[in-house]
Amino acid sequence: MNEIICRLNAEDTFTKEGAEYTVDLFSKKQYRYTFWDDNKRKLYQSNLFNKSAIDLLYISLMVYYADRKVSRKNTDDAWTRDIKLFIPVLELEKWNANKELLEKMLSFLSGDRWSFEFRKRELNEKEVKAFKGITRQKNKHRPNAICMLSGGLDSFIGTIDTLVGNRDTWFVGHYGGGKGVIKYQKNVIGKLIEQYKLSENQFFNFFASPLQGIEDTTRTRSFMFFAHAIILGSAFNNVLPLIIPENGLISLNIPLTNTRLGSCSTRTTHPYYMGLLQQLLNNLSITVKLYNPYQFKTKGQIIADCKDLNFLKTNISETMSCSHPDVGRYARETKPSHCGNCLPCVIRRAAIEYAFHTDTSNYKDNDFRGIGASENLRSYKVGLLDYAQNSIDASLAIQISGQVVDNIENYCTVYQNGITELKTLLDKYNG
């Protein structure tokens, strides 16, 4: 069991014999995050945040810390870790009542065994200062919705589609240590502000990253990303939609090959995970409603159906879909780019060709000839061949990564259509 202690103020002296790490989140020596420090003027537009949502933010930061700090390779199966976090919270009774739900949700997300021990705390210095600033600010604003804006293609389209019908929306982005994400986020934000005459106050961009992480799989990063948007949405009494745009094929997380059963997989928007997270928010009285508008569409379909197709087509190359855009730094390349052969890149390429027939995005390896790329191509083709020859039942396939109870027919259709998009692209290459 890997035990990690969290502290949120200098007066906290909690200790646990045998704990692997003690993390002082009020100090920048172990963890850098900017929620309270950046965007202050923007934060003060809101009302006071729900205290359970504040707790959720710190829990997500600590979960991400553990995800980066505890290596998978030393476990019995080189994957599943046992992690226990000791965390102070403002709403102790609520968190004790929902501890099992939180553990179940995170275990599904990361593939680990999580456990928590909570203890009571009061508002710390940063929170008190922020609450005073929010209280003093007279000009308040309640948006109609909040939308995640990662810099990726799906979130860019989600932002466009949202703005066509509702320009009174806040957008939330997150970036870590790499340069690839923040560059593309800034690019698309600039384009969106110019196109739709938006205010910079509508865009929130937060940094959060533990220092000196050793594990690269980081399945829980999305939980921490969502928590930043959820705390903003918690400040309003009426239910606020949180739009999380992701195509249905990626959302279902069905492994195309056995190589995707591990570190390259993501369950960020899987319907089972989203259901657990929504249940947790409801139980904590956090008035945020999670919504993925593209749950039953492939990436190609959401491109083709975009509500401002000309704007999208002009700027589609400004978005980043690659799972490792900074990998070029090992070859002393200074600019981030798409690798062209990881699964997110391949799905992107297939989708753009489905919608536009041509793709002007820059890829390091268009033809699957580089180191590792040819192996990826063969792996994808084996997966597609297995799908075709064995006539895999879609209703069973969609259950591989997690339980799907409702809308079975719709999920089957998006899976089948997504595989067709991929096959159309990959049939052009020998592998």
Side-chain angles (χ1 to χ4, degrees):
M1 176 70 74
N2 298 277
E3 297 185 337
I4 302 175
I5 295 169
C6 172
R7 295 172 176 166
L8 292 173
N9 59 67
E11 291 73 37
D12 189 350
T13 59
F14 179 86
T15 59
K16 176 71 167 58
E17 186 177 353
E20 190 168 356
Y21 298 104
T22 296
V23 184
D24 296 322
L25 282 183
F26 55 87
S27 169
K28 293 183 179 179
K29 293 181 179 180
Q30 294 167 292
Y31 206 130
R32 182 167 174 253
Y33 62 99
T34 63
F35 181 81
W36 301 108
D37 301 320
D38 292 356
N39 303 287
K40 284 184 180 179
R41 188 174 299 175
K42 298 179 185 178
L43 288 182
Y44 294 171
Q45 299 176 82
S46 70
N47 295 317
L48 297 179
F49 304 123
N50 179 297
K51 289 185 177 180
S52 290
I54 297 175
D55 289 336
L56 185 71
L57 176 65
Y58 287 120
I59 290 169
S60 75
L61 290 172
M62 285 305 302
V63 165
Y64 187 50
Y65 178 92
D67 203 1
R68 292 298 317 276
K69 282 290 190 179
V70 180
S71 174
R72 293 188 183 276
K73 67 180 181 180
N74 297 324
T75 61
D76 292 338
D77 61 357
W79 183 262
T80 309
R81 303 164 297 187
D82 289 281
I83 301 173
K84 183 170 185 177
L85 301 181
F86 297 83
I87 300 181
V89 292
L90 298 168
E91 303 278 15
L92 181 59
E93 291 185 5
K94 285 186 178 181
W95 284 106
N96 281 335
N98 288 280
K99 186 168 75 76
E100 291 185 6
L101 174 58
L102 176 67
E103 293 167 349
K104 180 180 180 181
M105 181 189 81
L106 291 174
S107 294
F108 174 79
L109 179 64
S110 75
D112 302 296
R113 289 182 288 265
W114 294 88
S115 59
F116 293 84
E117 183 174 306
F118 300 112
R119 61 188 186 277
K120 180 68 176 176
R121 75 173 182 93
E122 303 300 327
L123 291 171
N124 63 28
E125 185 177 343
K126 280 190 175 182
E127 294 159 349
V128 169
K129 185 176 180 180
F131 273 40
K132 287 180 178 178
I134 291 170
T135 302
R136 286 195 302 266
Q137 177 67 272
K138 294 181 179 180
N139 296 322
K140 300 294 183 181
H141 183 74
R142 180 192 185 279
N144 293 325
I146 295 177
C147 182
M148 309 302 290
L149 182 59
S150 65
L153 179 52
D154 289 9
S155 74
F156 186 54
I157 298 171
T159 299
I160 293 171
D161 288 350
T162 299
L163 287 170
V164 167
N166 173 28
R167 298 198 181 186
D168 192 3
T169 301
W170 284 355
F171 300 94
V172 178
H174 162 265
Y175 62 103
K179 297 179 181 178
V181 173
I182 188 60
K183 173 183 180 294
Y184 282 86
Q185 285 180 352
K186 287 182 177 180
N187 282 347
V188 299
I189 288 172
K191 300 287 185 181
L192 291 164
I193 288 175
E194 181 180 1
Q195 175 73 6
Y196 298 106
K197 306 299 185 290
L198 305 175
S199 166
E200 289 188 358
N201 286 339
Q202 293 177 244
F203 295 88
F204 297 79
N205 218 350
F206 301 104
F207 179 95
S209 182
L211 302 184
Q212 299 178 337
I214 60 174
E215 176 59 51
D216 293 327
T217 54
T218 60
R219 275 189 175 182
T220 65
R221 187 178 67 85
S222 61
F223 173 53
M224 184 260 294
F225 183 15
F226 289 1
H228 281 80
I230 289 168
I231 189 174
L232 291 178
S234 77
F236 308 98
N237 293 327
N238 297 329
V239 176
L240 198 67
L242 173 54
I243 302 167
I244 305 170
E246 179 130 82
N247 72 84
L249 182 64
I250 283 288
S251 175
L252 284 172
N253 184 232
I254 302 169
L256 184 59
T257 70
N258 287 336
T259 61
R260 288 203 70 242
L261 291 173
S263 62
C264 294
S265 296
T266 174
R267 294 170 171 173
T268 299
T269 56
H270 191 281
Y272 180 69
Y273 170 72
M274 293 277 277
L276 294 176
L277 179 55
Q278 185 65 67
Q279 183 181 344
L280 179 64
L281 298 182
N282 295 344
N283 292 355
L284 296 171
S285 300
I286 298 174
T287 54
V288 171
K289 179 67 175 178
L290 308 177
Y291 173 54
N292 178 5
Y294 307 128
Q295 188 70 72
F296 304 122
K297 288 187 177 184
T298 67
K299 200 181 193 82
Q301 288 170 337
I302 69 174
I303 295 173
D305 295 342
C306 179
K307 295 178 180 179
D308 193 343
L309 204 57
N310 289 333
F311 177 65
L312 171 63
K313 194 170 185 178
T314 301
N315 296 285
I316 198 167
S317 62
E318 300 291 331
T319 64
M320 171 56 66
S321 303
C322 188
S323 59
H324 39 258
D326 288 325
V327 71
R329 69 183 182 275
Y330 297 115
R332 297 185 179 180
E333 297 175 6
T334 57
K335 295 182 179 180
S337 68
H338 291 94
C339 73
N341 65 83
C342 68
L343 191 68
C345 275
V346 171
I347 291 176
R348 173 196 175 95
R349 293 173 61 184
I352 294 175
E353 291 197 13
Y354 166 89
F356 296 147
H357 307 297
T358 58
D359 183 1
T360 59
S361 302
N362 179 44
Y363 300 103
K364 287 173 61 64
D365 186 349
N366 283 307
D367 301 318
F368 299 93
R369 293 178 179 175
I371 297 174
S374 57
E375 289 83 356
N376 282 347
L377 177 59
R378 284 194 294 272
S379 182
Y380 300 146
K381 282 186 166 286
V382 167
L384 291 174
L385 185 64
D386 189 49
Y387 169 82
Q389 290 184 343
N390 294 314
S391 299
I392 297 174
D393 188 290
S395 63
L396 296 177
I398 63 172
Q399 306 286 344
I400 291 174
S401 290
Q403 183 181 16
V404 178
V405 177
D406 301 318
N407 300 300
I408 300 294
E409 185 175 343
N410 289 333
Y411 286 120
C412 289
T413 299
V414 76
Y415 167 54
Q416 293 163 333
N417 289 341
I419 291 295
T420 299
E421 283 183 20
L422 282 173
K423 187 176 186 304
T424 301
L425 171 76
L426 295 174
D427 279 350
K428 299 178 181 179
Y429 303 95
N430 295 319

